[in-house]
Amino acid sequence: MLNFDGTLIFDSHDREFASSLANHIIDVKGQQLVSFKGSYEEYVAERSKQAQVA
């Protein structure tokens, strides 16, 4: 999958798997979709930063 030159959409609860492939995260929060362009680690860091501000 790492060499695939197209778009891949996957659903996973496996953080290592998501971290190894994802460069755009779409998170389902309640009835909303949250779109984040970046790695899973960057998304988690951004969420943590936002939680500290709130």
Side-chain angles (χ1 to χ4, degrees), residues 5 22 37 39 43 52:
D5 192 32
K37 290 189 179 183
S39 70
Y43 174 65
Q52 291 175 358

Side-chain angles (χ1 to χ4, degrees), residues 1-8:
M1 284 191 264
L2 291 173
N3 296 325
F4 181 65
D5 192 32
T7 300
L8 176 66

